[in-house]
Amino acid sequence: MMIQAGGKLSGVDLGRWVCAAIDGPNESVIRMRSLGICVGRPLDLVCDGDPMIVRVGSTQIGLSRFLAKHVTVQPRSESLEPVEDTAS
Amino acid sequence: VGSPNTGKTSLFNRLTGLRAKTGNYPGITVDLRSAQIEIGNGPSQRTIQLIDLPGLYSLEPTSPEETVAAEALRGNRLGKVDAVVIVLDATAIGRNLSLATEVLELGLPSVVVLNLIDAADANGIEIDLHTLSAELECPVIAVSARTGRGLDDLRNQIQALLAVPATSLPITRTNCVSGCTGCAYAARFDWSDLVVQRSVRGVSHDAPAKLQTIDRYLTSPWIGTLSLLAVMLAVFVVIFSLADIPMSLIEAGFERITLWVDRILPNADRFSPSRLAAAIALSLGVIVALYKSMGFKLTRRNLLISGGFLVGAVLLPSDDFRSLLLDGVIGGVGGVLVFLPQICILFFFITLLEDSGYLARGAFVMERVMRKVGLPGKAFIPMLSAHACAIPGIMAARTIENWRDRLVTILVLPLLTCSARLPVYAMIAALLFGDSPVLASLTFAGAYLLGLAAALGTAFCLKKTIVAGDPAPLVIELPAFRRPSLRNALLTTYDRAVVFIKNAGGVILLISVALWFMASYPKPDPATLSGDEKAQNQQSLQYSFAGRLGQAAEPIFEPLGFNWKINVGVISSFAAREVLVSALSVIHGIGEDGGEDPQGLVNSLRAQQRPDGSPVFSRATCFSLMVFYVLAMQCLPTQAVTRRETGSWKWAIFQFVYMTLLAYVSALIVYQTLTHLGIA
């Protein structure tokens, strides 16, 4: 139930999500954002672990679990798909 | 300018070739590569300065390199910017359009370059340059740095940008950076998606299935770590086997130079042209080295000192001048330059691995391990390099964005076993277990492990104390696998080699002269010398500053089991460890070439006795000496590079002090324990 409702990126299953909120150390937040992990943007959890692999568009990002705890995600509804499909 | 992994530096190398110079700009510790290139033909030809800014993901910097790049773009660092070339990866435009828009918003005359267009073609990606250009409101050119395609167009476009007087256009782009809710990044990415949707066809999200599978293995905890170790082991095997030939060539080259200089130097005449030329060249070299590496200013006092040095060099008795030039300068500089091939091969492979996208995976895999000692995964590349030489390691530490993480990495790197320690290990292993190859190899391996353990342990302690703070959490792009360009790797290697020579060369020259002086003066009265030449050399060294220091240091080093002769070795190898072997040869009266006949040296060292008749090089002393050389900071060129990379002598001095203390205390513990256990 918790997973369906979304939650922290560190606690969810592999799959397609949308970033809902980010907090955490300032420098890391800037870096995550500049790589495409930012509020309202789709992201896929590709590979779990510490560090884990997240895909944003065509970019694969290695992310430590510590930071994943600061990223809140929601399930991605299909209505968001068009944006995701065109992301290169 | 461009994001990391867009082939920006390859493009720069392609445009500039060997003309690029890696320079230090005032006030920054970041290296910027720049080159003067000519563009245009005939009357419209002009020379422009092209600068390769460090890669960045956004104008909000999170590392020293990004700060420099962002400030340079805003015109706060390197003066006014005339035009900007924004490099994007054509295979993944959406990935770096966000940065492109950010840069375009600065309102500078810009051209967007789609690099790696050949790879995009191969993947079936079609890009509508006109639409893209219209969306971005700036010219767009497709190029391939690997094949050279589109470079002429790029040159022409740069020229066109410069021909129009720069006007700051108001940005009319309709992307809602301010109007949208929340984060500007999300807005830029959304806008990028729209642009990509309109102008790019045939984008597939997924890398080929085969590559994905390989990637999954390479990033998995066990297979990933093992394959990383295998790759690195292979690189080191190649380094040590390939470097042998050029290293012996360099050695032979320096021997030839020595012979040649020896022949042309006159025996008596101080004012002969060749002698004067040599003295002037040497003085100039020393002044330039002082200026470059010590920030020596051309004040009146310093000019007087320089003049004094020149006069001293001219007036030196012929024999002394010969010895200064041959033993001091040529021998000293050659002794360090001999490691250049290893360093070049190391840089070459690291560049190849980096361009292929593998190093990012390596850092990802190592993150788990390194974090335990408070270092980021990225520190593994410098730590690896430091096993050849600490200097390229310290230079490679730049890939670590977070300043504290970078500093800790730099501080512990010299603890790792570099090639210069190998002759010392070899000598001590032979002294200890000359008759048992297995035990000798174990001693060797033990020394490596001790260095590694000390580096990791020190990193852990530093992170808890002086440079407190957890390592910055990992956020790393894992770029798509790509075929690396040999040409680019060669150019980068050349560039790094030049930086190494510039950084280390000057310091080495200064140290060589200083150490020669310490070991040569004051000279004993010739009448008091006895015996053959070797014995006389031994007596001279004993009488010199170095010898006196060694004797004066006896109370300090005695608890470590060192006698004054070993102290002279320790002091002489203060600047470069490998000197220990030849210094011990001289001080024991074996002659300078003792190092070249290891068995002879080892045998005569074994025969040395203390006043009470016990051997000098007992097991306890050998182990203590070994531990001391694993841990002590006996390398001034490294210190100079530490100073440069950290921006102050403070950290270089700290590094020296903590390593020396660590070495002393550890050697003390080893010697005292072994002696009390009766293993003397």
Side-chain angles (χ1 to χ4, degrees):
Chain A
M1 198 56 202
M2 175 65 195
I3 291 166
Q4 263 188 341
K8 297 298 182 190
L9 184 56
S10 51
V12 299
D13 285 345
L14 297 185
R16 314 181 138 203
W17 303 93
V18 171
C19 176
I22 307 180
D23 58 274
N26 197 25
E27 247 180 40
S28 306
V29 171
I30 293 174
R31 185 141 288 246
M32 284 195 284
R33 279 187 187 155
S34 59
L35 280 166
I37 304 179
C38 43
V39 177
R41 297 284 306 166
L43 57 87
D44 299 353
L45 184 57
V46 182
C47 183
D48 208 356
D50 185 16
M52 57 184 66
I53 301 180
V54 173
R55 188 188 304 170
V56 180
S58 64
T59 314
Q60 301 221 55
I61 300 165
L63 191 68
S64 70
R65 182 163 285 274
F66 170 79
L67 281 180
K69 285 183 190 147
H70 291 277
V71 179
T72 314
V73 292
Q74 286 170 350
R76 188 146 92 224
S77 63
E78 292 308 305
S79 66
L80 272 161
E81 283 302 293
V83 175
E84 203 273 330
D85 272 350
T86 52
S88 65
Chain B
V1 59
S3 303
N5 308 312
T6 51
K8 190 170 48 68
T9 299
S10 311
L11 179 64
F12 179 85
N13 281 342
R14 187 85 201 189
L15 283 171
T16 60
L18 289 176
R19 277 163 295 182
K21 291 204 170 47
T22 302
N24 260 330
Y25 285 79
I28 13 182
T29 49
V30 174
D31 269 340
L32 288 181
R33 301 184 66 219
S34 71
Q36 310 272 346
I37 60 167
E38 266 104 47
I39 51 168
N41 300 309
S44 62
Q45 188 178 30
R46 59 190 290 181
T47 307
I48 60 166
Q49 191 188 24
L50 197 63
I51 302 177
D52 182 17
L53 292 180
L56 74 175
Y57 287 109
S58 84
L59 290 186
E60 256 185 284
T62 53
S63 74
E65 281 71 22
E66 286 193 337
T67 310
V68 166
E71 290 187 6
L73 279 172
R74 296 199 172 98
N76 300 339
R77 277 287 187 181
L78 317 170
K80 194 171 141 299
V81 181
D82 294 316
V84 184
V85 178
I86 304 169
V87 185
L88 307 186
D89 173 358
T91 59
I93 296 183
R95 185 167 72 93
N96 25 54
L97 261 185
S98 169
L99 171 72
T101 53
E102 231 183 320
V103 176
L104 287 170
E105 279 161 24
L106 294 174
L108 296 162
S110 306
V111 52
V112 167
V113 172
L114 300 180
N115 193 14
L116 299 159
I117 194 71
D118 51 338
D121 283 348
N123 292 350
I125 300 173
E126 289 170 36
I127 301 166
D128 180 349
L129 295 183
H130 288 291
T131 314
L132 191 57
S133 172
E135 292 285 348
L136 297 175
E137 293 170 27
C138 94
V140 175
I141 294 171
V143 307
S144 164
R146 225 161 60 82
T147 63
R149 179 177 142 193
L151 291 184
D152 285 333
D153 288 347
L154 175 58
R155 289 196 193 92
N156 294 339
Q157 193 52 250
I158 296 176
Q159 192 184 15
L161 281 182
L162 294 173
V164 185
T167 47
S168 190
L169 295 169
I171 299 300
T172 54
R173 207 166 293 114
T174 49
N175 57 329
C176 52
V177 168
S178 48
C180 288
T181 52
C183 128
Y185 286 97
R188 281 195 208 100
F189 275 104
D190 286 344
W191 181 77
S192 308
D193 285 349
L194 276 176
V195 171
V196 171
Q197 196 176 359
R198 285 178 199 154
S199 57
V200 184
R201 292 274 164 277
V203 175
S204 116
H205 279 206
D206 303 320
K210 222 197 265 156
L211 275 183
Q212 271 189 349
T213 318
I214 296 177
D215 204 5
R216 189 140 324 132
Y217 282 123
L218 288 182
T219 49
S220 68
W222 285 107
I223 302 177
T225 313
L226 287 180
S227 43
L228 181 68
L229 287 180
V231 168
M232 292 312 150
L233 200 64
V235 167
F236 267 80
V237 169
V238 173
I239 288 176
F240 284 114
S241 52
L242 275 192
D244 238 17
I245 302 161
M247 282 172 86
S248 22
L249 281 179
I250 291 182
E251 270 174 357
F254 271 96
E255 262 166 43
R256 288 201 125 181
I257 296 176
T258 310
L259 287 177
W260 177 72
V261 172
D262 195 28
R263 211 176 50 238
I264 61 164
L265 271 187
N267 274 328
D269 185 6
R270 273 179 199 165
F271 298 101
S272 74
S274 54
R275 165 76 199 264
L276 275 177
I280 291 170
L282 180 62
S283 312
L284 274 178
V286 168
I287 293 162
V288 169
L290 279 172
Y291 175 76
K292 283 267 183 196
S293 47
M294 308 276 162
F296 192 78
K297 299 279 182 317
L298 280 185
T299 59
R300 185 177 297 173
R301 189 173 59 107
N302 287 343
L303 278 176
L304 269 176
I305 297 175
S306 316
F309 187 88
L310 176 63
V311 172
V314 170
L315 292 183
L316 217 54
S318 283
D319 278 349
D320 289 14
F321 186 74
R322 183 183 302 270
S323 144
L324 165 64
L325 214 55
L326 299 184
D327 304 336
V329 176
I330 299 178
V333 173
V336 180
L337 283 192
V338 85
F339 295 110
L340 192 60
Q342 283 187 353
I343 293 170
C344 285
I345 298 173
L346 180 75
F347 276 135
F348 179 75
F349 280 108
I350 285 190
T351 312
L352 282 186
L353 287 176
E354 192 173 9
D355 284 357
S356 72
Y358 184 65
L359 276 195
R361 270 101 184 151
F364 178 86
V365 170
M366 289 308 283
E367 175 78 11
R368 234 178 310 255
V369 185
M370 303 290 271
R371 178 161 299 274
K372 297 212 168 79
V373 296
L375 286 177
K378 285 181 179 174
F380 103 92
I381 304 165
M383 294 187 91
L384 191 88
S385 312
H387 279 100
C389 171
I391 293 174
I394 293 174
M395 281 154 71
R398 284 188 196 160
T399 48
I400 303 169
E401 290 103 2
N402 181 278
W403 166 245
R404 285 195 315 271
D405 293 348
R406 191 185 296 185
L407 181 61
V408 171
T409 309
I410 290 176
L411 288 176
V412 305
L413 280 179
L415 287 168
L416 297 166
T417 291
C418 62
S419 335
R421 283 181 175 97
L422 298 182
V424 179
Y425 290 3
M427 181 189 79
I428 300 177
L431 271 171
L432 276 169
F433 305 112
D435 41 359
S436 159
V438 177
L439 284 177
S441 329
L442 279 179
T443 314
F444 239 92
Y448 266 95
L449 282 181
L450 175 64
L452 186 62
L456 296 179
T458 309
F460 184 78
C461 295
L462 285 177
K463 274 293 193 179
K464 291 271 176 261
T465 52
I466 295 168
V467 197
D470 286 324
L474 176 82
V475 189
I476 189 176
E477 188 187 352
L478 303 175
F481 282 117
R482 209 180 270 160
R483 186 187 315 174
S485 138
L486 271 184
R487 185 190 145 95
N488 185 51
L490 286 173
L491 277 171
T492 307
T493 306
Y494 168 79
D495 184 62
R496 301 271 86 186
V498 171
V499 172
F500 169 76
I501 295 175
K502 269 196 201 158
N503 279 346
V507 184
I508 298 166
L509 178 66
L510 295 179
I511 299 162
S512 306
V513 172
L515 281 181
W516 170 84
F517 184 82
M518 296 255 304
S520 309
Y521 294 99
K523 286 191 174 299
D525 183 358
T528 62
L529 291 177
S530 60
D532 62 358
E533 196 192 339
K534 285 175 184 171
Q536 292 191 1
N537 283 343
Q538 180 193 0
Q539 290 156 20
S540 304
L541 184 54
Q542 184 172 355
Y543 193 79
S544 71
F545 288 124
R548 290 171 193 203
L549 261 177
Q551 293 168 66
E554 238 181 335
I556 303 174
F557 284 111
E558 222 214 313
L560 274 55
F562 300 176
N563 66 358
W564 73 267
K565 290 183 176 181
I566 304 181
N567 294 347
V568 173
V570 171
I571 292 164
S572 325
S573 63
F574 169 71
R577 307 173 167 96
E578 67 279 10
V579 173
L580 175 73
V581 180
S582 63
L584 283 181
S585 301
V586 174
I587 197 72
H588 287 103
I590 307 161
E592 258 173 71
D593 298 333
E596 283 165 26
D597 172 20
Q599 212 43 54
L601 172 65
V602 166
N603 285 339
S604 72
L605 287 186
R606 278 212 186 117
Q608 299 295 321
Q609 291 187 338
R610 289 177 198 267
D612 63 2
S614 63
V616 171
F617 288 90
S618 63
R619 292 241 150 130
T621 300
C622 285
F623 274 118
S624 151
L625 189 62
M626 178 82 120
V627 167
F628 188 85
Y629 269 82
V630 171
L631 301 175
M633 175 79 246
Q634 304 261 79
C635 181
L636 273 175
T638 299
Q639 300 254 270
V641 176
T642 298
R643 184 207 80 106
R644 212 181 76 103
E645 295 290 313
T646 59
S648 83
W649 279 110
K650 186 177 83 178
W651 291 113
I653 292 167
F654 172 74
Q655 191 176 40
F656 175 77
V657 171
Y658 100 78
M659 285 182 67
T660 310
L661 282 179
L662 183 67
Y664 185 86
V665 172
S666 309
L668 179 71
I669 294 171
V670 166
Y671 182 75
Q672 294 301 338
T673 314
L674 290 181
T675 320
H676 281 104
L677 290 176
I679 311 174

